[in-house]
Structures are given as structure tokens and as C-alpha cells.
Amino acid sequence: MKRVLITGGAGFIGSHVIEHILRTTDWEIITMDRLGVSGNYHRIKDMKCWEEEGYRVRLVHHDLRSPVNEMLEKKIGQVDYILHLAASTHVDRSIQDPMGFVLDNVVATTNLLMFACNQTALQAFLYFSTDEVFGAAPMGTNYLEWARYNSGNPYSAAKAGGEEMALAFANTYDLPVIITHTMNVFGERQHPEKFIPMCIKAISEGKTITIHANKDRTKAGSRFWIHGRNVANALTFLLEGGARADHLPRPTYWRMPNADKFNIVGEREVDNLEMAQTIARILGKELKYEMVDFHSSRPGHDLRYALDGSKMKALGWSLPVDFEDSLRRTVEWTINNPEWLNK
């Protein structure tokens, strides 16, 4: 039985990772959370498997802007894996409060890395990053794992800073590091400020949705959407040996055998208008929308993000659930649990 520390377990993605681990492994979980803007323990306790498997989860309250002190370190004990999912993630808020995002995504990551250095049996420190560290992707461009950073807003810059600290600890302290880049994640229990729950709520109430588009308002922004269940599956796949394949090529300048990066990518690219139309079709409702120039309305945002998922495919990983089925399940669940649209 493995012991895993998950930061941000009360967050949206963290809750899906915990649920997947409870359903598919016998691991013991310690989840660390400060219960800030995105943290909500109801996400964990609303899981169908909680009643039977919740005894394997221990909740620890801590704000990683502060170091992990000796008392908390003893309370957590030794772990096999650390999954660092905690982060501030909302681009608009990062534009309003850039220093807060530096504290949450760079300083907090460094504090956790320092804690990890005291873990004598640690097999992997997984840093959960984002496609946005690479900036906007022109049509036809899908970024590989080791592409150069080109952050377009304080959120993505702070996540890139966390990546670099993780790699620095791999090089300096021989810490085993895995970095993942993931695109837009959706699913049950998501914060209502995010695009899909926002669409579900607006379409259900007959309101007009804003679709961010190019300057001419003729082409909507696009993403490779992926469900939280699929992300969780990819993370455990990497932890359980997928990240250790020696046959995969690495950049010629890279000389740290104990660190690597992986892109976790959805099956196909969907623009925001198509996404809203699909949600409206599932709901059986009319879609009312307005196309707006995204740069004028949301400075710091990029019209298109894209990652190359061939590395994970070469490792043998594939999406357990397809996009259409994942989206349908999410919409139906959200309609049947409307309290999550108002949290």
C-alpha cells in the first residue's frame, strides 16, 4: 500500500484525483488544503465512494505560503508520492493580483519542495502545470513538453516559475520530479466561474453567453478539453511506472535522469462556440450568444492553446472516456446537482 500526499485535494481537479485513487488503488491519501477560493471539502465528501473508502483519506489544513513546520511534517509522516495540485488558477484574478499568484504558485511550490527533500522514501514529486506556460499556439502548432516558455499573463508566468523550481530541485537535490502540462479540464463539481458550468447555468436560464473570438469576431477561441477523470487516470499511470520508460527521447541538452515532462491532452480540439452549442443540444435549449474580441475584453488571455500528446501515447496511455460521453455526463450531473452552480 502506497501513501500519497495531495495538495489542493479539496479543489476541483484534486477531488477527481482522490476519487480515482480511491476507486482504483488501495493507497492511503493525505490531502493538504487551505480551503481558499477553490477549496471545498464537499467535493470530496460528495463522492459516491466516500462512504465506503473515505477512511483512507486524512485531511490536513495548511497554507503553503508558509513552510511545512516540524509538527505538521510529523503529522504527515513519510509518503511515497507527492502530487502538487494546489494552485491559484484564474487568469482574470491573476491580472488583478499578480503577487498573490507568485505566492501561491512559486513560493508555495518551493515550500513543498523543501518538505519533499526530507522524504526519505519519496518515489516521485509530481508538479501539475498548464498548457498556458507556452503561450498562444498558432493554428497548426501543438507544443511539445520541452518547448520554450512564453507566458502571456501572471497566472501562466507563476506556473512556469513553479516548474523551474521543481526542475532546480531535481538538479540540485536529486529530487525525483514529474511535470505534467494539462489543457482545460472539466467535470463534475467544478467552480461556477469556469466556462462549462457557466454555460450550463446561462443556457438553462435563457441568458446570453459571451464567446471570446478573434478581432473580427468570426472565429472563437479553442482548447483541447479533457475530463478530470481522464486526467486522474493519466497521473496514476505516470506514477505507477509510465514515466520511467527509457526508450523515450529527451532533449539533447537535458542531463537529469530523475526529471521529465509530460503533456496530458484531450482527444480533439473544440472551440468555445462549438462547446456552448453542444451543451445547449444536450440540455435541449436554445443557445443565445455574442462573439466578442477576446483581447479587448480579456487582456492577458490567448485565443488558442495546444499541446502535442504523442509522448503519452507512445508510453501506452489512452483516454479512458471519450469527450462526448464525458461532456454529456458532466452536463447531466450538474443539472441534477444545481447547488454546485451557486457555490
Side-chain angles (χ1 to χ4, degrees):
M1 183 177 67
K2 303 290 187 181
R3 299 186 78 243
V4 55
L5 171 65
I6 300 175
T7 67
F12 161 61
I13 296 174
S15 71
H16 279 282
V17 173
I18 289 175
E19 184 173 25
H20 178 74
I21 290 174
L22 289 179
R23 288 180 180 276
T24 62
T25 76
D26 63 352
W27 299 357
E28 178 184 346
I29 301 169
I30 304 100
T31 178
M32 180 188 294
D33 210 295
R34 73 176 182 197
L35 300 180
V37 173
S38 302
N40 187 332
Y41 278 147
H42 289 293
R43 283 196 177 93
I44 300 175
K45 295 183 178 179
D46 274 3
M47 299 172 186
K48 289 184 180 180
C49 63
W50 177 257
E51 190 171 331
E52 292 185 2
E53 302 293 341
Y55 71 94
R56 288 194 276 137
V57 181
R58 187 148 55 91
L59 311 175
V60 175
H61 184 269
H62 181 66
D63 186 343
L64 277 167
R65 290 187 179 189
S66 299
V68 178
N69 59 41
E70 186 177 347
M71 182 175 69
L72 184 58
E73 193 169 322
K74 289 180 179 178
K75 185 175 182 180
I76 295 170
Q78 294 292 317
V79 297
D80 298 283
Y81 305 125
I82 295 175
L83 278 67
H84 185 32
L85 309 180
S88 287
T89 62
H90 199 268
V91 173
D92 290 338
R93 284 202 304 271
S94 80
I95 294 170
Q96 297 165 4
D97 178 27
M99 184 54 71
F101 277 65
V102 171
L103 293 172
D104 287 341
N105 298 344
V106 182
V107 173
T109 298
T110 307
N111 282 329
L112 188 65
L113 287 163
M114 292 174 68
F115 162 80
C117 287
N118 294 328
Q119 293 289 313
T120 58
L122 188 68
Q123 297 177 35
F125 181 103
L126 190 147
Y127 178 80
F128 191 81
S129 193
T130 171
D131 57 324
E132 294 194 38
V133 299
F134 305 120
M139 289 303 297
T141 297
N142 295 343
Y143 291 116
L144 292 165
E145 283 81 358
W146 293 91
R148 83 291 180 267
Y149 299 127
N150 190 26
S151 302
N153 54 65
Y155 158 62
S156 56
K159 288 298 290 184
E163 278 195 34
E164 286 297 284
M165 286 304 301
L167 293 176
F169 270 68
N171 185 50
T172 307
Y173 306 106
D174 203 31
L175 201 67
V177 167
I178 296 171
I179 292 172
T180 64
H181 303 119
T182 305
M183 302 196 69
N184 290 54
V185 184
F186 69 95
E188 300 80 3
R189 305 184 296 270
Q190 192 166 26
H191 196 287
E193 71 185 3
K194 300 298 184 179
F195 185 71
I196 288 179
M198 181 184 68
C199 282
I200 295 171
K201 181 178 176 66
I203 294 169
S204 299
E205 297 174 353
K207 296 180 178 178
T208 299
I209 293 173
T210 297
I211 303 292
H212 297 100
N214 60 359
K215 187 175 181 179
D216 298 329
R217 291 179 289 181
T218 57
K219 182 174 178 55
S222 63
R223 307 287 187 266
F224 284 80
W225 297 84
I226 184 170
H227 194 282
R229 278 187 293 268
N230 290 336
V231 172
N233 180 277
L235 298 185
T236 54
F237 170 84
L238 289 171
L239 291 177
E240 292 183 308
R244 299 178 180 85
D246 294 330
H247 68 280
L248 289 178
R250 294 188 180 184
T252 55
Y253 59 81
W254 193 242
R255 293 292 180 268
M256 283 187 280
N258 59 333
D260 209 347
K261 300 184 183 185
F262 303 88
N263 291 341
I264 302 171
V265 186
E267 66 184 281
R268 65 185 178 90
E269 188 168 5
V270 181
D271 72 43
N272 291 341
L273 178 56
E274 181 186 354
M275 176 65 80
Q277 290 169 333
T278 305
I279 293 171
R281 186 172 64 250
I282 294 170
L283 291 171
K285 300 278 188 178
E286 177 189 2
L287 175 64
K288 300 176 183 178
Y289 69 92
E290 177 187 8
M291 302 278 273
V292 299
D293 175 4
F294 81 106
H295 265 311
S296 298
S297 60
R298 302 181 80 189
H301 288 255
D302 295 308
L303 190 64
R304 179 180 186 265
Y305 296 112
L307 297 174
D308 185 304
S310 59
K311 186 173 183 176
M312 287 291 288
K313 185 176 180 179
L315 286 170
W317 182 79
S318 59
L319 291 161
V321 185
D322 67 30
F323 168 76
E324 294 286 350
D325 191 27
S326 295
L327 182 60
R328 178 186 54 78
R329 289 193 207 180
T330 299
V331 173
E332 292 174 353
W333 183 93
T334 303
I335 290 300
N336 291 327
N337 296 270
E339 66 274 12
W340 282 98
L341 291 174
N342 300 300
K343 288 187 181 293

